[in-house]
């Protein structure tokens, strides 16, 4: 089991110099609003690629009382062996950070840590997941894929870059046709990869969603679906590169007029449908939507453990709102049945009274 044994902040967010020790199981961070509970979870998420789950600029992570000095975050991560981790600011202007593993920044060391470390998180805005814009759900699914495939973000970024490059070329009436064809080939290659990874991951999540619903006796048996007009119109178009290229060329004038690209995974949506009555999740209450998100998180967690032999770290920010018996039962299942380190935040210790007495409480003042 991989877990964070401690974390140390220097000049980070609202912490000038602060240390916390954690336990292997459930860790509860309790404190008033603005005390820094979410900042601690964000600090843990920074040990993955990117800018943490808030995707904030590096400059905003530096303590506002001491902007002249950079910040750093240190931690000891244990997975059969002790691993010393450290985050330093690398370039504030380009929002770059530097992670070292046992004082090494070598690619081999970073790749090793990536292979044993994965994060799944819940943020309060996810409570309305299925009434949010489609981009919110796409990002949620992509985040789940990234937690088990660390090169996935690069594929997404290459795809977005190619889409933007194509748009610039279309605006140039004297653009090089050969170069435009090459860019569209890059779009299709990345696009096919994204479609296939999304479809496969949805299948993996649904596999465990069904088992959880049966085992935990929930009334509605929900499954995820990828909604995409392009895929619906051309069955398995992602397997036909030539047809995909033909459609891109056919849509050039329309895409130039609308300043975008009318087909592709950037226009997909993810919906959740009840198999019992074909009921769409966008009609559910906030509490019911939260239940679905927690179910998906648990399914993702089981998939990582059973299929990839990877123990994720779970970050649940302000998880106690809209908690009904179903949600409490799911959180108990997550903390008691799955052997993973979990972090939860809340403003009052009494919110977590339903959890095991083995939970470790950290008071944030």
């Amino acid at each position: 089991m991989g877990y964070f044994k401690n974390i140390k902040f220097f000049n980070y967010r609202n912490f000038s110099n602060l240390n916390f020790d954690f336990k292997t199981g459930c860790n509860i961070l309790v404190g008033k609003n603005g005390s820094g509970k979410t900042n601690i979870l964000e600090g843990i998420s920074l040990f993955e690629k990117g800018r943490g789950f808030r995707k904030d600029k590096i400059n905003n992570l530096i303590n506002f009382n001491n902007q002249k000095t950079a910040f750093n975050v240190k931690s000891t991560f244990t997975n059969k062996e002790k691993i010393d981790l450290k985050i330093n600011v690398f370039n504030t202007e380009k929002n770059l950070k530097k992670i070292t593993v046992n004082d090494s920044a070598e690619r081999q060391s970073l790749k090793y840590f990536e292979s044993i470390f994965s994060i799944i998180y819940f943020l309060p805005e996810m409570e309305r997941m299925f009434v949010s814009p489609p981009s919110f759900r796409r990002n949620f699914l992509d985040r789940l894929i990234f937690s088990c495939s660390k090169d996935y973000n690069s594929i997404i970024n290459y795809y977005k870059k190619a889409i933007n490059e194509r748009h610039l070329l279309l605006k140039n009436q004297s653009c090089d046709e050969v170069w435009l064809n090459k860019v569209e080939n890059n779009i299709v290659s990345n696009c096919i990869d994204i479609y296939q990874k999304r479809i496969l991951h949805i299948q993996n999540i649904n596999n465990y969603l069904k088992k959880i619903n049966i085992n935990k006796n929930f009334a509605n048996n929900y499954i995820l679906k990828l909604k995409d007009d392009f895929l619906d119109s051309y069955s398995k178009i992602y397997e036909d590169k030539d047809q995909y290229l033909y459609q891109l060329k056919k849509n050039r004038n329309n895409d130039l007029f609308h300043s975008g690209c009318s087909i592709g995974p950037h226009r997909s949506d993810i919906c959740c449908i009840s198999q019992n009555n074909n009921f769409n999740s966008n009609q559910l209450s906030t509490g019911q939507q939260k239940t679905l998100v927690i179910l998906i998180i648990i399914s993702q967690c089981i998939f990582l453990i059973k299929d990839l032999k990877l123990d994720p770290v779970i970050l649940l920010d302000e998880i106690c709102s809209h908690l009904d018996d179903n949600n409490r039962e799911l959180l108990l299942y997550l903390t008691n049945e799955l052997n993973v380190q979990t972090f939860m935040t809340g403003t009052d210790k009494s919110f977590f009274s339903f959890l095991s007495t083995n939970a470790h409480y950290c008071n944030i003042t």
Side-chain angles (χ1 to χ4, degrees):
M1 175 184 177
Y3 69 97
F4 286 94
K5 188 175 181 180
N6 55 49
I7 197 164
K8 302 175 183 179
F9 298 109
F10 173 74
N11 208 45
Y12 164 78
R13 290 290 192 181
N14 63 318
F15 303 125
S16 56
N17 198 338
L18 201 61
N19 304 337
F20 292 97
D21 292 323
F22 302 127
K23 300 295 183 181
T24 56
C26 184
N27 295 268
I28 311 296
L29 309 180
V30 179
K32 295 180 180 179
N33 291 326
S35 59
K37 303 183 299 295
T38 305
N39 293 342
I40 297 172
L41 299 191
E42 179 189 40
I44 295 172
S45 74
L46 286 171
F47 285 106
E48 276 196 325
K49 286 181 179 177
R51 304 200 304 264
F53 60 48
R54 281 172 169 158
K55 303 186 185 303
D56 211 345
K57 295 180 179 180
I58 291 295
N59 280 333
N60 292 338
L61 304 182
I62 301 173
N63 187 285
F64 53 84
N65 289 324
N66 191 5
Q67 285 289 304
K68 294 182 179 180
T69 305
F71 76 91
N72 66 59
V73 182
K74 299 179 182 179
S75 183
T76 301
F77 186 83
T78 301
N79 187 327
K80 298 181 181 178
E81 59 179 311
K82 186 181 76 170
I83 301 172
D84 291 324
L85 303 171
K86 187 174 182 180
I87 297 173
N88 280 318
V89 174
F90 181 60
N91 187 317
T92 55
E93 292 184 1
K94 294 184 178 181
N95 289 308
L96 297 178
K97 66 183 184 185
K98 182 178 181 181
I99 300 177
T100 59
V101 178
N102 290 331
D103 295 323
S104 171
E106 295 294 329
R107 186 62 195 148
Q108 185 176 0
S109 298
L110 297 176
K111 289 284 286 185
Y112 168 71
F113 180 61
E114 288 176 3
S115 70
I116 63 171
F117 173 58
S118 183
I119 281 180
I120 306 172
Y121 57 79
F122 171 90
L123 302 178
E125 53 265 34
M126 292 179 180
E127 290 184 353
R128 297 183 63 77
M129 170 78 71
F130 298 100
V131 293
S132 298
S135 60
F136 191 89
R137 290 182 288 278
R138 285 196 301 271
N139 291 337
F140 176 70
L141 176 61
D142 287 342
R143 168 67 211 170
L144 296 180
I145 298 172
F146 171 75
S147 71
C148 56
S149 179
K150 301 301 183 182
D151 63 340
Y152 183 66
N153 273 11
S154 297
I155 299 170
I156 293 288
N157 291 334
Y158 289 142
Y159 173 71
K160 290 179 179 178
K161 182 179 178 181
I163 290 288
N164 291 333
E165 188 174 4
R166 175 178 181 263
H167 175 62
L168 292 175
L169 287 171
L170 291 176
K171 287 174 64 177
N172 184 359
Q173 295 181 355
S174 60
C175 72
D176 185 343
E177 181 73 16
V178 174
W179 183 249
L180 181 56
N181 287 334
K182 182 179 180 180
V183 170
E184 288 182 339
N185 268 282
N186 290 338
I187 289 174
V188 171
S189 295
N190 288 305
C191 177
I192 289 173
D193 204 0
I194 293 168
Y195 270 136
Q196 290 176 335
K197 281 182 166 56
R198 284 180 178 174
I199 291 170
L200 177 60
H201 202 77
I202 284 175
Q203 290 173 351
N204 291 329
I205 293 297
N206 284 339
N207 178 41
Y208 288 108
L209 266 178
K210 295 172 185 176
K211 293 178 181 179
I212 293 173
N213 281 334
I214 292 170
N215 292 339
K216 303 305 293 181
N217 197 30
F218 288 102
N220 290 308
N221 190 9
Y222 283 92
I223 60 168
L224 291 178
K225 287 187 177 181
L226 186 66
K227 185 179 179 182
D228 191 299
D229 292 337
F230 181 48
L231 288 183
D232 292 342
S233 300
Y234 303 93
S235 179
K236 292 191 175 181
I237 187 72
Y238 57 87
E239 294 179 355
D240 190 343
K241 184 175 181 178
D242 291 335
Q243 180 61 235
Y244 204 136
L245 284 170
Y246 169 76
Q247 292 298 325
L248 279 178
K249 291 178 180 179
K250 182 181 176 181
N251 292 342
R252 283 178 181 176
N253 289 334
N254 183 58
D255 290 346
L256 173 61
F257 180 77
H258 289 97
S259 300
C261 185
S262 54
I263 58 175
H266 63 290
R267 301 183 68 85
S268 298
D269 196 1
I270 291 88
C271 58
C272 202
I273 305 293
S274 170
Q275 295 186 101
N276 296 345
N277 51 25
N278 207 32
F279 193 78
N280 197 306
S281 55
N282 61 10
Q283 301 174 54
L284 297 176
S285 69
T286 302
Q288 289 173 313
Q289 290 185 60
K290 185 170 190 170
T291 300
L292 276 180
V293 175
I294 297 174
L295 276 167
I296 293 169
I297 287 174
I298 291 175
S299 299
Q300 170 80 359
C301 188
I302 298 173
F303 166 68
L304 291 175
I305 294 170
K306 291 193 173 183
D307 290 44
L308 302 184
K309 311 304 178 186
L310 181 63
D311 297 325
V313 174
I314 315 298
L315 310 178
L316 307 174
D317 191 29
E318 298 296 340
I319 192 66
C320 289
S321 63
H322 301 104
L323 276 191
D324 58 12
D325 289 341
N326 273 348
N327 290 338
R328 290 188 181 91
E329 187 178 356
L330 286 172
L331 291 179
L332 279 170
Y333 178 79
L334 177 63
T335 56
N336 294 348
E337 302 298 326
L338 303 180
N339 186 30
V340 294
Q341 187 178 39
T342 306
F343 294 87
M344 302 185 193
T345 69
T347 56
D348 196 310
K349 187 176 179 179
S350 63
F351 294 162
F352 304 95
S353 59
F354 66 94
L355 293 174
S356 166
T357 54
N358 292 328
H360 174 65
Y361 287 86
C362 298
N363 292 316
I364 315 300
T365 58

